[in-house]
Amino acid sequence: MSPETKDCIANGVFTVGNYFYGGVGHVNVDYGKILKKGFRGVLEETIAAMNQLDPDDPETIKKRQFYNAVIISYNAAIKFAHRYADKARELAAAESNPVRKAELVQIAANCDRVPEYGARNFYEACQSFWFIQIMVQIESNGHSISPGRFDQYMYPYLKNDNISREFAQELIDCIWVKLNDVNKTRDEVSAQAFAGYAVFQNLCVGGQDEEGKDATNEVSYMCMEAVAHVKLPAPSFSVRVHQNSPLEFLYRACEVSRLGYGVPAFYNDEVIILALVARGVALKDARDYCIIGCVEPQAGHRTEGWHDAAFFNIAKVLEITLNNGRCNGKQLGPVTGELEELDSIEKIFDAYQKQMEYFVRRLAEADNAVDYAHIERAPLPFMSAMVDDCIKVGKTAQEGGAIYNFTGPQAFGVADSGDSLYAIQKHVFEDKKITLKELKEALESNFGASDCVTPGCKEPSIEGASLSEAEIYEAVKKILASTGSIDMATLENKLTEKISTSACKTGTCCGESTGRFTTIRKILQNTDSFGNDIEEVDEFARRCGKIYCNEVDKYTNPRGGQFQAGIYPVSANVLFGKDVLALPDGRLAHEPLADGVSPRQGVDTHGPTAASNSVAKLDHAQASNGTLYNQKFTPAAVSGEQGLKNFVSIVKSFFDHKGSHVQFNVVDKETLIEAQEHPEDHQDLIVRVAGYSAHFVTLAKEVQDDIINRTEHNM
């Protein structure tokens, strides 16, 4: 990477660091192919391809190495499974309990058969699936090794088996338990970003088949049962919904969601399929999409999507824009004008656009540098042989062997940026309550919060401050004396100034300027915000998101594929919020940013429908690498039959308005606070963080606070 690109990373504009120390992951392989043909089928396919090589073609030298690597790794994988068979027989020989002994004998027989050969029944299919899952994980140490459409490739084995449904459910439950065994080695920074140790194994049910018909089946519902039975964070469980989904399917999914485990996440076929087609994916392949990692759709087992390719901090770009390209005292971005010179909102947007052009260009360079490194240093022959068309073309997925190739960096801070720019438009250019010079000074001083350094001096803050009745009366008298009438905004400002100046015990540092900064912050905080279904406000957030997406669309990757934008944070909105200074929406420096496409915490005050209507106005189709929307309900809001009906209606309404994804925490704030204070009593509390669920007590405190502070909706 160039020094300029490394500077951008060092200053918190974006990061690609997740992939410095481990595999890319973010893949769905062809589980169905292995269930049907086994690893022997892959070896036969590979040998046939080798026999077709043209000895005079220079590429044959490279292709032969790939085919040799596939043969070596698949023979090793067969031996790996046979060692489990040997171990099961060893345990069976020493087992006195006849029931357990019979189980071990059956396990040995299963591991002798699969995954070397195709599965003959549901039990063997489950065992084969699990071997594939752990081997792909072992090879790459990546995350988001996603099982994809589990119900589609598993159902034929259930349908044609005489297994009891009770035992079949137990086997699926066991898979749910085992998926919680998987973890990966992380560096310190990404361990914070993925608080809760998520591995993002996204398992998806429902949706359509390649012909557009509903594909829901018995296994779809059994997966929901597994969530209720096992009560663990993994897998990241998702449901696909379309206009012809059975109503029972949607009701059952909402019933599972209100159990409070943060799953399933809901995805809208009507938006996602067309978005993939617009990216060049064939319609039949787009209909067969699955979800990878957090929220990323892809054509299953045909794609090297490198989703989650970077965290890109849109709010940081806005901060840099308002400082004429400067960051931490250096000229990081282009010179686009001092804030006082940008005397219209369009001039600010123009400057923002130019900064975005620069930083996304650097982002693309960073991603492509990492892409080249993985091509050269970390090809994955075992995984690649289960991705179409790697064997056919003789290339690993990292080298471009997949049918579809993408790079998907995701942004966060859309709502923060939109609300900030709308606040400038409203209070500077329309109502003229604040000048650009005042705004700049207030932002530089962190609204006065960083000015108070004298011992005994409190940070000026409205929260928690109080005035005596005499002090309030004094403020009212002064206003009446000068104007003859009471204007509530004027009174509010006077009281704010009174609080901020009286907060200073020494009187040496919190003077008139600090009082004015506090007043400015109060004005900014009282602005209409994204998340309340106000067209003018929502358009600012939509525009900020599109500026990012438009820039990302310009770039291609070394595998011959296109960049595509996503808008989701994992939990990086907390970690990378620490890199962002004060913003014109009233946010103080270093506080968390809004998560994903969700409104900022606590500002969506017009109810869940208004909030989801705002979110639906973003261009989810263009952000085809995925968007993430969190909502939080109290358990009482969705209880009972009427609560369930309301819950279903919220999902249907959001999808009717062309929203792409939504997921829910069903938990009250008091429970979360209690769990934070007494973690020993809440070891089993599971919450939805972002594109994954985690045990609440394992999360970093900042992430816990972020979840606690999300808007709590009632119906």
Side-chain angles (χ1 to χ4, degrees):
M1 301 177 200
S2 66
E4 293 82 3
T5 296
K6 291 178 181 178
D7 275 351
C8 294
I9 294 172
N11 284 278
V13 181
F14 59 81
T15 179
V16 295
N18 284 339
Y19 306 100
F20 291 165
Y21 310 109
V24 168
H26 287 90
V27 71
N28 167 254
V29 300
D30 196 346
Y31 297 87
K33 171 182 173 179
I34 306 305
L35 297 186
K36 184 177 180 180
K37 298 181 178 181
F39 286 173
R40 285 289 170 197
V42 174
L43 289 169
E44 290 169 5
E45 185 182 354
T46 303
I47 291 168
M50 285 184 76
N51 290 337
Q52 296 297 317
L53 288 173
D54 179 357
D56 297 325
D57 183 353
E59 290 191 3
T60 291
I61 298 169
K62 184 73 171 173
K63 290 180 180 180
R64 186 179 288 118
Q65 300 311 308
F66 168 55
Y67 292 142
N68 284 334
V70 171
I71 292 168
I72 291 168
S73 60
Y74 274 78
N75 275 304
I78 290 168
K79 292 179 182 178
F80 180 73
H82 288 172
R83 289 204 299 275
Y84 276 85
D86 293 341
K87 185 65 177 178
R89 273 189 288 271
E90 176 189 327
L91 294 171
E95 181 59 60
S96 59
N97 183 315
V99 175
R100 180 57 180 159
K101 188 181 188 75
E103 289 176 347
L104 290 165
V105 169
Q106 183 61 59
I107 288 169
N110 290 345
C111 296
D112 279 334
R113 170 76 191 184
V114 296
E116 181 175 6
Y117 300 101
R120 297 167 298 186
N121 55 52
F122 189 68
Y123 198 169
E124 287 182 354
C126 289
Q127 183 61 69
S128 186
F129 162 81
W130 179 242
F131 273 130
I132 299 164
Q133 188 68 13
I134 58 174
M135 290 180 193
V136 174
Q137 185 70 48
I138 289 167
E139 182 188 35
S140 72
N141 189 39
H143 59 270
S144 304
I145 311 299
S146 296
R149 303 190 74 185
F150 183 84
D151 57 344
Q152 301 306 298
Y153 54 78
M154 294 297 290
Y155 179 61
Y157 297 91
L158 178 68
K159 181 181 178 182
N160 298 319
D161 199 344
N162 61 1
I163 187 174
S164 74
R165 290 304 182 264
E166 182 180 6
F167 185 51
Q169 183 66 61
E170 182 179 351
L171 291 175
I172 293 178
D173 291 356
C174 286
I175 286 174
W176 249 244
V177 172
K178 294 299 290 181
L179 286 167
N180 285 272
D181 284 356
V182 176
N183 213 329
K184 66 162 285 181
T185 305
R186 296 189 186 278
D187 61 284
E188 184 179 4
V189 173
S190 66
Q192 293 180 47
F194 298 110
Y197 314 107
V199 195
F200 306 95
Q201 301 167 101
N202 205 308
L203 189 151
C204 185
V205 302
Q208 306 171 42
D209 64 16
E210 292 183 353
E211 302 300 319
K213 300 175 184 177
D214 179 65
T216 308
N217 60 48
E218 190 173 356
V219 176
S220 312
Y221 294 103
M222 294 172 76
C223 290
M224 296 187 196
E225 290 291 328
V227 172
H229 293 168
V230 175
K231 306 176 183 178
L232 288 172
S236 293
F237 180 53
S238 302
V239 296
R240 283 179 47 180
V241 178
H242 58 100
Q243 290 179 354
N244 295 320
S245 292
L247 190 57
E248 179 190 1
F249 179 74
L250 190 52
Y251 269 85
R252 290 281 294 278
C254 288
E255 281 184 318
V256 173
S257 185
R258 71 179 182 177
L259 293 174
Y261 307 132
V263 294
F266 297 78
Y267 294 86
N268 186 0
D269 277 10
E270 313 301 337
V271 171
I272 292 172
I273 291 172
L274 292 179
L276 291 173
V277 169
R279 294 294 185 188
V281 177
L283 178 58
K284 69 180 182 62
D285 293 343
R287 284 173 170 158
D288 193 35
Y289 82 86
C290 61
I291 300 298
I292 304 297
C294 282
V295 292
E296 305 100 288
Q298 68 164 232
H301 65 80
R302 306 167 183 90
T303 307
E304 174 69 356
W306 192 15
H307 312 285
D308 183 47
F311 295 120
F312 189 91
N313 197 335
I314 283 182
K316 185 67 177 178
V317 175
L318 177 62
E319 175 211 312
I320 292 169
T321 302
L322 300 179
N323 286 280
N324 196 12
R326 294 186 298 274
C327 178
N328 298 326
K330 68 181 296 182
Q331 192 68 41
L332 190 66
V335 173
T336 50
E338 296 295 341
L339 181 56
E340 304 95 305
E341 301 166 358
L342 305 176
D343 56 5
S344 73
I345 197 64
E346 288 306 318
K347 288 184 179 179
I348 294 176
F349 264 115
D350 287 346
Y352 182 60
Q353 170 79 48
K354 290 172 183 174
Q355 297 291 345
M356 192 69 75
E357 288 175 2
Y358 176 81
F359 289 114
V360 172
R361 186 184 306 119
R362 296 299 176 195
L363 166 71
E365 179 196 309
D367 270 338
N368 285 341
V370 174
D371 217 337
Y372 275 119
H374 281 268
I375 290 169
E376 295 172 3
R377 304 179 187 187
L380 304 173
F382 176 77
M383 180 271 282
S384 296
M386 290 182 278
V387 174
D388 302 341
D389 275 332
C390 291
I391 292 178
K392 181 178 178 180
V393 302
K395 294 181 179 181
T396 66
Q398 292 66 45
E399 294 169 323
I403 295 173
Y404 304 112
N405 287 279
F406 297 101
T407 299
Q410 77 266 20
F412 52 90
V414 171
D416 307 87
S417 299
D419 284 350
S420 291
L421 289 167
Y422 178 73
I424 295 173
Q425 168 68 6
K426 176 68 175 172
H427 299 301
V428 175
F429 299 124
E430 290 182 9
D431 296 348
K432 303 188 187 304
K433 289 184 177 180
I434 308 168
T435 67
L436 286 172
K437 182 175 183 296
E438 288 177 317
L439 176 63
K440 183 177 181 179
E441 291 173 349
L443 293 174
E444 288 175 346
S445 74
N446 195 22
F447 299 107
S450 58
D451 282 354
C452 292
V453 293
T454 305
C457 180
K458 302 177 184 177
E459 289 185 355
S461 174
I462 307 304
E463 296 82 358
S466 60
L467 295 174
S468 68
E469 190 174 328
E471 289 174 313
I472 295 172
Y473 180 60
E474 179 187 354
V476 171
K477 278 199 304 181
K478 287 182 178 178
I479 296 171
L480 284 172
S482 61
T483 66
S485 63
I486 287 290
D487 172 72
M488 291 308 296
T490 305
L491 177 59
E492 211 171 62
N493 290 343
K494 276 289 183 187
L495 295 179
T496 299
E497 291 171 9
K498 182 69 176 174
I499 290 169
S500 58
T501 53
S502 63
C504 180
K505 294 179 179 179
T506 63
T508 59
C509 65
C510 289
E512 292 183 10
S513 63
T514 299
R516 178 58 177 157
F517 295 156
T518 308
T519 301
I520 289 171
R521 185 183 181 216
K522 183 69 174 177
I523 292 169
L524 296 170
Q525 288 178 313
N526 285 337
T527 314
D528 289 331
S529 301
F530 174 74
N532 296 295
D533 199 12
I534 302 169
E535 194 66 35
E536 182 184 6
V537 180
D538 296 343
E539 180 57 29
F540 274 74
R542 176 183 170 88
R543 189 172 176 184
C544 288
K546 283 191 72 66
I547 287 172
Y548 173 71
C549 292
N550 289 341
E551 290 304 313
V552 172
D553 282 351
K554 295 177 180 178
Y555 295 95
T556 56
N557 62 39
R559 291 170 279 113
Q562 185 185 0
F563 275 65
Q564 59 171 348
I567 305 175
Y568 55 96
V570 192
S571 52
N573 61 302
V574 178
L575 179 63
F576 293 99
K578 296 175 182 178
D579 291 321
V580 181
L581 301 182
L583 292 176
D585 60 6
R587 171 193 164 279
L588 293 176
H590 315 306
E591 290 185 344
L593 300 165
D595 68 284
V597 294
S598 306
R600 293 183 295 122
Q601 297 169 344
V603 303
D604 46 337
T605 57
H606 292 188
T609 302
S612 62
N613 286 349
S614 288
V615 172
K617 293 172 190 175
L618 301 174
D619 194 339
H620 297 270
Q622 187 178 10
S624 53
N625 195 58
T627 59
L628 185 150
Y629 178 33
N630 278 310
Q631 277 200 326
K632 186 167 77 173
F633 287 109
T634 64
V638 294
S639 66
E641 184 177 352
Q642 189 57 50
L644 183 61
K645 289 180 179 178
N646 292 342
F647 201 169
V648 170
S649 295
I650 285 287
V651 176
K652 286 174 67 68
S653 173
F654 180 56
F655 284 178
D656 286 346
H657 284 80
K658 303 305 180 187
S660 176
H661 158 274
V662 64
Q663 59 197 24
F664 302 93
N665 268 316
V666 180
V667 62
D668 58 78
K669 188 173 184 177
E670 289 71 24
T671 299
L672 296 174
I673 293 172
E674 168 68 19
Q676 190 179 58
E677 294 176 350
H678 302 285
E680 68 280 0
D681 298 330
H682 298 273
Q683 295 293 313
D684 59 349
L685 177 61
I686 296 170
V687 294
R688 192 74 174 185
V689 182
Y692 66 100
S693 294
H695 284 103
F696 182 77
V697 298
T698 68
L699 300 173
K701 184 179 184 301
E702 295 94 333
V703 179
Q704 291 180 342
D705 291 341
D706 185 57
I707 295 168
I708 289 169
N709 292 329
R710 290 175 187 169
T711 302
E712 193 172 76
H713 288 294
N714 288 290
M715 296 290 189

